[in-house]
Amino acid sequence: MSPEAGARGAGAPARAWVSVAALLAVLALLGAGLPSDWLVWRRDAPLQLWRWWTPVAVHWTTGHLVANLAGCALLGWLGWSARLPAHAAIAWLLAWPLTHLGLWLDGPDSALQRYAGLSGVLHAGAAVAGLAMLADRTCAAMRLLGAAMLAGLVWKLATERPWAAAVTTLEAWSFPVAVLAHATGALGGALAFGLVGLCVGFRGRHPAPDP
């Protein structure tokens, strides 16, 4: 195999990750022209299954949208640079609905009755990326970067204290911030990465027989 072909092969898995980041960004942009009431997550509508995915298409302000688009770009660039494997992208996709399913854990009296935005799923992506880099057996620097990323994510969640209040007010935003979604996103990402990792490991130990 030529060096050029090897380089192309090494970058190929990261395309799946970048595709997920691009999909989220496109949905966020398209959502600007759609009725938000049909897309937001609502605590009183657990059986409206599309709401497990569609909150990413709704943003309360232009600044909210721009910040989340920047997060998509950053995670996409990080995944491409780190050459994250395809199963990391699958884990991020799986964490997408898990992020919103986790919001129901706060109970019917939660201050968070409606949720919209990409931040929860972006935190899921950050958790998946950090774990994928930490699991890299070929590069110590990559493992160190993954550990630092996960430490930063844990520190951010600790400062937001989602266990104390699902919603908080921050000076940078003109609307209440659903910090609970950041936590459920990170937890959903970790859970999804573990589940996908188990499946990948099982397939590696039990390859399909040759035809």
Side-chain angles (χ1 to χ4, degrees):
M1 180 183 293
S2 68
E4 292 81 4
R8 288 194 297 269
R15 293 173 189 160
W17 180 270
V18 174
S19 296
V20 176
L23 172 63
L24 291 169
V26 168
L27 290 176
L29 289 169
L30 291 176
L34 299 174
S36 61
D37 286 345
W38 280 92
L39 302 175
V40 297
W41 176 87
R42 284 174 36 190
R43 187 170 296 279
D44 63 352
L47 298 182
Q48 294 177 358
L49 305 187
W50 69 86
R51 296 183 190 272
W52 300 1
W53 283 270
T54 55
V56 300
V58 180
H59 289 81
W60 303 126
T61 67
T62 300
H64 187 202
L65 173 61
V66 170
N68 281 334
L69 290 176
C72 284
L74 179 60
L75 279 176
W77 171 82
L78 177 66
W80 182 265
S81 300
R83 296 178 177 174
L84 293 184
H87 69 260
I90 295 172
W92 194 7
L93 284 172
L94 178 59
W96 182 349
L98 290 179
T99 295
H100 305 122
L101 284 169
L103 298 176
W104 274 292
L105 296 176
D106 203 40
D109 297 326
S110 173
L112 184 62
Q113 296 295 318
R114 298 169 77 242
Y115 170 73
L118 257 172
S119 60
V121 179
L122 290 178
H123 280 71
V128 171
L131 288 168
M133 289 187 287
L134 188 63
D136 190 321
R137 299 180 180 179
T138 65
C139 180
M142 191 65 66
R143 293 194 295 274
L144 183 61
L145 179 59
M149 186 171 177
L150 291 172
L153 182 61
V154 170
W155 175 83
K156 181 178 185 295
L157 294 175
T159 60
E160 291 177 341
R161 303 177 70 240
W163 60 86
V167 177
T168 190
T169 301
L170 300 177
E171 292 183 3
W173 302 105
S174 59
F175 54 87
V177 177
V179 292
L180 177 62
H182 301 171
T184 59
L187 291 174
L191 177 61
F193 184 80
L195 290 173
V196 173
L198 286 175
C199 293
V200 170
F202 179 83
R203 289 187 62 187
R205 292 190 299 271
H206 301 84
D210 292 332

